[in-house]
Amino acid sequence: MAMNGQEAEQMVEAAKQHPDQVAIIDHELRFTPMAQLAREHLQAGQIGQVRWVDVTITLPAPSGGRKWDWWADETQGGGVVGAVGSHVIDLLRFVLQAEVSGVSAHLKTMASSLPDRADSEIKEATSEDYASVQLTLIPQAAASSGIWGSDHPASPPYQQPTDDRMPEIQAHVTLGLLGKAPSCAQMVIGADAGGAVLNLSTGSLEITNHQKQVVASQRGSGSAFQHGTQLLGAAIQQALGPNADRSALQCAASTADGLAVMYVIDAMRASSRQQGSTVQPKHIELEW
C-alpha cells in the first residue's frame, strides 16, 4: 500500500475525503474460495478455537538467476515483506478475524550483491530476501472490546486479556527468496478440535476435525495469487459497471485494512532492527 504507516495514514485520510469513490487495497487472496470458506468455517467454530498458524512461502530465483532491480532496493519498497508478507498479514487478519498485537521479526538480506538487470554491474542489495516472523494475534472481538485502551492509531500497548474465551493465537511466518529453493506456499492452522491447510500454490483448502475427518474442502484453481487477482478484477468491473454493484467488493480490503497491515510491517522492521525484540504495532479501530 505504501512505504510505511505514515504514508498509509495519508492515503486513508484521502479516501475519507472522497467516500463516493472506490478505494481498496489489492489484497486479492481475500477473494479466493479457499479464503472465503476457511473464514466461514473458522467463524462457525467447527474446529474449535484456533491456537496457532504456520505460514511458509518460498520463492525460487527467476530463470537465469536473480538480478538487481527495484526488488533488491529497500528505498524503492523492494523485499519479500512488502511484496509477499503484506498479503500474508492480510490473509491472517481476514481468515482468523484477528488483529496482530505483537511482532518479533528477523529480516535478512542473504544475497547482498546482485548483477544489475540493465548492465550486469554488481550492486548492493539492501532489501530483505528472507524473513522469519513470530506474530501474536487476538480475536477481533477482543480487539474491539476496549482491550487496546484507545481507538487512536497510537493507542497504549495491548494488554493481555483475562477472558479465557478469547485466547491469543500464535503465528509463525517464513518468507524466502534465494537460489534454487523449492517453491512452497501454504498456511497451516491448528485448533482445539482440528486443523486446516490452505495451499496458496494450488488454491485448495482442507479442514479436518480431531478425528482426521475432512469436514470441508475446496478444490484449487491454480495459484491463489493469480486466481484471486482474476476474481478481484471481476469484482471491480462489477462494482464500476453499469449496475454499480458495490456489494461485489464487500470482502475487499479497505484503506483502513491496508493501514493495519502497514502498522504490522513497520513493527516487523522495528523488531528486526532490535534483534527480534517484541514490538507492538499501532492499532486502528476497524469495521469488521
Side-chain angles (χ1 to χ4, degrees), residues 270-286:
S271 172
S272 185
R273 290 193 295 268
Q274 300 170 29
Q275 289 73 51
S277 298
T278 299
V279 174
Q280 295 166 334
K282 289 183 178 180
H283 171 64
I284 180 171
E285 188 71 15
L286 300 173

Side-chain angles (χ1 to χ4, degrees), residues 129-150:
D129 51 30
Y130 173 80
S132 176
V133 185
Q134 188 71 30
L135 303 173
T136 298
L137 300 97
I138 57 172
Q140 178 269 331
S144 300
S145 64
I147 288 175
W148 291 91
S150 170

Side-chain angles (χ1 to χ4, degrees), residues 9 12-13 16 93 98-100 138-156 158 254-261 263 281-288:
E9 289 172 0
V12 170
E13 290 304 314
K16 289 180 179 179
R93 294 180 61 253
E99 290 290 356
V100 177
I138 57 172
Q140 178 269 331
S144 300
S145 64
I147 288 175
W148 291 91
S150 170
D151 293 346
H152 191 273
S155 62
Y158 159 75
S254 66
T255 54
D257 286 309
L259 175 57
V261 171
Y263 282 157
K282 289 183 178 180
H283 171 64
I284 180 171
E285 188 71 15
L286 300 173
E287 294 182 5
W288 288 71

